[in-house]
Amino acid sequence: MSEDKTKLAIIIPCYNEELIIKSTVETLLKVLDALVSKGKISSESYIYLVDDGSKDSTWAIIEDLHSRFGTRVKGTKFIRNYGNQKALIAGLLGVKEVGCDCVVSIDADLQQDENAIEKFIDEYHNGAEIVSGIRNDRKTDSFFKKYTALCFYKLMNLLGVKIPPNHSDFRLVSYKALEILEKYSESGLFLRGFFHELGLKTAYVHFDVKPRALGSSKFNLFSLTSLALNGITAFSVVPLRIIAVIGVLTVLGSFLLALEVIVEKYILHTTPDGWATLVILFAFFGGLQIFCLGIIGEYMGQIFNEVKGRPRYIKEKELV
Ligand code: UDP
Ligand code: MG
């Protein structure tokens, strides 16, 4: 069969993955070989590992794999641990520089089904610029992780960031999406939100999650919370707006309270002198202060959006 010209890169963020990285790379090379022999990708396709500042022998193993497999296994190493999102971004921008037509990101523990990569490529050949992996279920997750993840996606949707639930960082993106990514200079970019709101043609592929074969999860409560907070604050200024709404509600509440207090004072004569004035002023100015904070929040939201320096728009086509 004639060789397809699609050069696929597979990027893998790795943090202390010495137990598993070798077998992962060997498995993925087999996946690449199978796709080459089916004529779906070019034989120049490769794997690109990003060592996120591992403290174990992960990098030494990556060097060894590079010397065994040559340019089919490339890699880069961070000076320290920056977290999985930064490692993924480095991988995406790294393979753009090295050269590729599309890139798939997958975890080092291969919990995501590597056989779904073929479906990703099929969708890419059908014209999708982004193919998102959606987990079939969360059976392999702990009770805690399952429900916190569910709450996170619900909250994101409420705040206006419409990411489908059970979305993952297992996805294919085209070279075109990488060119757009390069225009986003903000350092705290949340990739799931970013790729979702790009507006490029997106396909979804469902996959089964396997339990981690070796080693343990590199995420803890702290890193998961910070990922979630980053996701929310990078894509939504709604929390700031909520402050203004609370302020307005409190001021309205103070008017209702005023009515009640006036009835108590002038009709029922049940309140001591001065009490009515104090209560009304207290509630009114409390509300006013919260409302003012909300207004400041609106301006902060504007500043926040400006400093991120996102491109104003991305043109899809142009006739000149
Ligand atoms: N990872 C990383 N930097 C970190 C934490 C994790 O590059 O600070 C990588 C890790 O090596 C793996 C992927 O991110 O390839 C997902 O991590 P893990 O499998 O531990 O997460 P889980 O499956 O438990 O969500
Ligand atoms: Mg995992």
Side-chain angles (χ1 to χ4, degrees):
M1 193 178 280
S2 71
E3 184 182 303
D4 190 279
K5 293 281 174 286
T6 305
K7 190 164 163 183
L8 168 69
I10 299 184
I11 57 168
I12 313 173
C14 322
Y15 181 55
N16 294 343
E17 299 286 9
E18 63 181 4
L19 294 177
I20 209 161
I21 196 64
K22 183 166 162 282
S23 70
T24 293
V25 167
E26 285 164 355
T27 308
L28 289 175
L29 283 174
K30 280 190 202 127
V31 172
L32 287 182
D33 286 341
L35 290 173
V36 172
S37 63
K38 284 184 187 170
K40 294 192 176 185
I41 59 170
S42 127
S43 56
E44 286 175 19
S45 302
Y46 59 92
I47 295 174
Y48 188 94
L49 300 134
V50 182
D51 182 342
D52 185 11
S54 297
K55 295 181 185 71
D56 63 3
S57 60
T58 301
W59 181 247
I61 299 171
I62 294 175
E63 282 180 325
D64 180 53
L65 289 164
H66 175 68
S67 57
R68 264 174 69 199
F69 298 107
T71 52
R72 295 191 76 201
V73 179
K74 306 180 201 293
T76 188
K77 178 171 165 55
F78 282 170
I79 198 161
R80 68 162 169 87
N81 179 243
Y82 288 96
N84 142 295
Q85 290 290 295
K86 300 254 165 64
L88 282 170
I89 293 173
L92 292 167
L93 296 177
V95 297
K96 175 176 180 285
E97 197 130 333
V98 173
C100 67
D101 296 301
C102 56
V103 45
V104 167
S105 48
I106 191 164
D107 286 351
D109 52 12
L110 284 192
Q111 280 193 271
Q112 299 123 331
D113 181 11
E114 67 277 5
N115 297 314
I117 294 176
E118 182 168 355
K119 292 188 205 145
F120 284 16
I121 290 289
D122 291 342
E123 293 289 354
Y124 172 77
H125 285 312
N126 285 337
E129 301 277 352
I130 293 173
V131 188
S132 268
I134 306 282
R135 313 160 60 119
N136 276 334
D137 55 54
R138 289 188 165 266
K139 266 191 237 140
T140 56
D141 275 356
S142 64
F143 178 83
F144 171 77
K145 202 163 173 191
K146 192 183 314 184
Y147 287 99
T148 47
L150 207 72
C151 289
F152 171 72
Y153 286 112
K154 281 247 152 66
L155 186 64
M156 285 296 265
N157 274 280
L158 277 176
L159 296 178
V161 191
K162 308 275 179 229
I163 313 179
N166 293 337
H167 202 84
S168 69
D169 277 322
F170 182 32
R171 72 169 79 74
L172 174 146
V173 303
S174 67
Y175 186 79
K176 190 169 168 184
L178 294 180
E179 282 182 320
I180 300 175
L181 174 70
E182 215 174 33
K183 294 189 168 61
Y184 280 61
S185 54
E186 68 198 82
S187 75
L189 192 62
F190 180 64
L191 288 173
R192 281 173 225 189
F194 167 75
F195 284 119
H196 190 68
E197 66 161 41
L198 266 189
L200 290 174
K201 190 174 176 221
T202 304
Y204 297 94
V205 167
H206 290 260
F207 68 92
D208 286 322
V209 184
K210 296 171 270 185
R212 195 181 237 277
L214 286 167
S216 56
S217 173
K218 311 298 172 216
F219 280 100
N220 53 33
L221 180 60
F222 179 75
S223 50
L224 276 177
T225 314
S226 100
L227 181 65
L229 279 178
N230 181 25
I232 293 170
T233 52
F235 273 90
S236 178
V237 288
V238 173
L240 289 173
R241 200 152 286 164
I242 292 173
I243 301 177
V245 173
I246 293 175
V248 170
L249 292 179
T250 316
V251 170
L252 288 178
S254 79
F255 287 131
L256 293 179
L257 185 71
L259 280 181
E260 194 213 323
V261 171
I262 287 167
V263 169
E264 281 180 12
K265 183 171 166 64
Y266 292 106
I267 301 177
L268 304 175
H269 303 289
T270 51
T271 58
D273 282 347
W275 185 80
T277 327
L278 273 181
V279 165
I280 293 169
L281 287 180
F282 192 70
F284 178 73
F285 281 106
L288 197 63
Q289 278 175 8
I290 302 176
F291 179 63
C292 291
L293 275 180
I295 293 179
I296 296 173
E298 283 293 320
Y299 283 98
M300 270 180 55
Q302 290 284 356
I303 297 171
F304 181 60
N305 284 332
E306 289 297 330
V307 295
K308 278 188 288 196
R310 290 186 184 174
R312 247 183 233 122
Y313 42 74
I314 307 285
K315 292 179 188 166
E316 191 180 9
K317 293 196 172 90
E318 192 159 45
L319 295 173
V320 280

